[in-house]
Amino acid sequence: MGQGLWRIARNQQLQQQGYSGQSYLTREHGRRIPANNVSNASHRKQAQGGIDIYHLLKTRKSKEQEGFINLEMLPPELSFTILSYLNATDLCLASCVWQDLANDELLWQGLCKSTWGHCSIYNKNPPLGFSFRKLYMQLDEGSLTFNANPDEGVNYFMSKGILDDSPKEIAKFIFCTRTLNWKKLRIYLDERRDVLDDLVTLHNFRNQFLPNALREFFRHIHAPEERGEYLETLITKFSHRFCACNPDLMRELGLSPDAVYVLCYSLILLSIDLTSPHVKNKMSKREFIRNTRRAAQNISEDFVGHLYDNIYLIGHVAA
């Protein structure tokens, strides 16, 4: 009774795996005989014990092959499109199977430029033996070095010919890279004010509302955690750049770089006041308008009110 139930369950399992009930005959003299080839002696031997392991493995292998896509059999454009969605680690693994496809220079060039948008070497004639896969490894190594020691990281990029020894080139590299640790970057920019100046000029704040422009600025150049000379320097540089990008708006509103400086400082203080859990009595809109216009009298009440609404609804300008 138990053997019969086991046999029924096993036959159902084999049918679910793609076997038909006609592939086997009933037990004859203690063994199963394939119906499609009774005279095959090897099949009869493999059928002993009730399960044909040979057919099981053969069918499973054929099903795996049917579901396996060989990129080399596809059009090259389609293969490269599929591989372009991989990151560097997966692309290295794919090169173990499709060496010619996964080592293509265009794929690695895309990976380099999507992570490090600007390098001096991009605009130069490549040296002998140059490859974007090797460049990717060097850029990754240099970024890790920078995140440990910024000066050593920049020197590494220069020693490999990736960056030119120029504040403008270093600023462009920082502006177009998102793999650098912001704390280390803040320390580096505090020491290299020449690089900071060029980095500020890369921002375009044209037709942007002041709090939104300040947020974009602090996303690239992170504000220090405490007030001090470096924060004042950042706000001063931002104020001059914002006015330079919006000369018509500044004339219309009657704002100067000094007035924008006052507004930026007010926005930072308001952000802290509204977002900090330690401040119980939040500043009201009326209080913010009164305090700000006391410091910058030429600013309209409506404009200052819009500034308050932006911080209240969107959040901190330097978060």
Side-chain angles (χ1 to χ4, degrees):
M1 181 67 179
Q3 294 181 354
L5 292 175
W6 178 89
R7 203 175 302 122
I8 293 173
R10 187 57 183 169
N11 289 337
Q12 291 177 349
Q13 181 180 0
L14 291 174
Q15 289 176 7
Q16 292 174 357
Q17 294 176 352
Y19 290 94
S20 63
Q22 298 177 354
S23 298
Y24 297 93
L25 296 177
T26 57
R27 293 182 64 90
E28 226 180 61
H29 305 292
R31 61 186 178 185
R32 289 181 181 267
I33 303 176
N36 59 352
N37 192 358
V38 180
S39 61
N40 194 322
S42 62
H43 284 185
R44 289 198 301 269
K45 292 180 180 179
Q46 292 160 353
Q48 292 180 356
I51 300 177
D52 193 338
I53 303 298
Y54 173 78
H55 279 284
L56 179 63
L57 296 177
K58 183 178 179 180
T59 305
R60 181 176 298 176
K61 182 178 180 181
S62 64
K63 285 185 174 295
E64 290 176 354
Q65 290 176 346
E66 289 174 3
F68 180 77
I69 299 176
N70 188 355
L71 296 182
E72 294 179 346
M73 304 300 294
L74 299 177
E77 297 82 1
L78 182 56
S79 300
F80 289 136
T81 301
I82 295 173
L83 292 175
S84 66
Y85 288 96
L86 302 181
N87 56 31
T89 302
D90 292 337
L91 197 56
C92 287
L93 294 175
S95 66
C96 298
V97 181
W98 305 288
Q99 185 173 1
D100 294 336
L101 290 174
N103 287 329
D104 187 83
E105 282 291 276
L106 289 177
L107 291 175
W108 287 98
Q109 181 181 0
L111 280 176
C112 289
K113 293 188 176 181
S114 63
T115 308
W116 300 275
H118 175 82
C119 294
S120 303
I121 197 172
Y122 292 161
N123 302 319
K124 298 179 181 179
N125 293 326
L128 186 64
F130 172 84
S131 73
F132 276 99
R133 177 170 178 168
K134 179 180 178 182
L135 177 62
Y136 184 96
M137 304 305 173
Q138 292 175 339
L139 286 168
D140 188 57
E141 178 68 23
S143 297
L144 293 175
T145 304
F146 184 96
N147 293 338
N149 188 311
D151 291 326
E152 291 184 4
V154 174
N155 291 334
Y156 176 87
F157 289 129
M158 293 179 183
S159 66
K160 299 298 182 180
I162 298 174
L163 277 181
D164 293 340
D165 190 3
S166 164
K168 183 175 293 186
E169 286 296 300
I170 299 174
K172 288 181 180 179
F173 175 80
I174 293 173
F175 185 78
C176 299
T177 301
R178 298 293 178 268
T179 60
L180 304 180
N181 182 276
W182 64 270
K183 292 184 179 180
K184 297 295 184 180
L185 181 59
R186 186 175 61 193
I187 296 173
Y188 180 77
L189 293 176
D190 191 13
E191 298 174 351
R192 292 292 304 268
R193 297 298 176 91
D194 54 343
V195 177
L196 177 61
D197 291 338
D198 287 316
L199 185 58
V200 172
T201 59
L202 293 175
H203 291 81
N204 184 9
F205 302 122
R206 184 172 178 80
N207 296 329
Q208 291 192 30
F209 194 37
L210 180 60
N212 297 333
L214 196 57
R215 288 188 185 93
E216 180 183 337
F217 180 74
F218 283 132
R219 272 197 296 267
H220 287 93
I221 307 174
H222 291 269
E225 297 176 355
E226 298 178 356
R227 304 178 197 176
E229 185 270 337
Y230 182 56
L231 178 61
E232 295 175 358
T233 300
L234 291 181
I235 298 177
T236 301
K237 293 182 181 298
F238 168 82
S239 302
H240 284 84
R241 182 59 182 168
F242 184 83
C243 292
C245 293
N246 299 280
D248 297 335
L249 179 63
M250 296 301 102
R251 286 193 297 267
E252 180 182 346
L253 297 177
L255 297 178
S256 65
D258 291 338
V260 174
Y261 178 92
V262 172
L263 291 177
C264 290
Y265 229 108
S266 299
L267 290 173
I268 293 175
L269 295 177
L270 177 63
S271 298
I272 297 173
D273 184 273
L274 294 181
T275 59
S276 175
H278 303 291
V279 179
K280 302 302 181 182
N281 298 321
K282 305 296 184 182
M283 184 183 299
S284 67
K285 186 175 183 178
R286 184 179 298 276
E287 290 174 335
F288 177 73
I289 294 175
R290 183 180 63 249
N291 296 337
T292 303
R293 295 195 67 195
R294 187 180 301 169
Q297 299 178 357
N298 295 332
I299 304 174
S300 68
E301 182 174 332
D302 290 339
F303 181 75
V304 180
H306 290 319
L307 295 178
Y308 182 94
D309 294 338
N310 183 280
I311 303 300
Y312 184 84
L313 295 174
I314 298 179
H316 207 301
V317 293

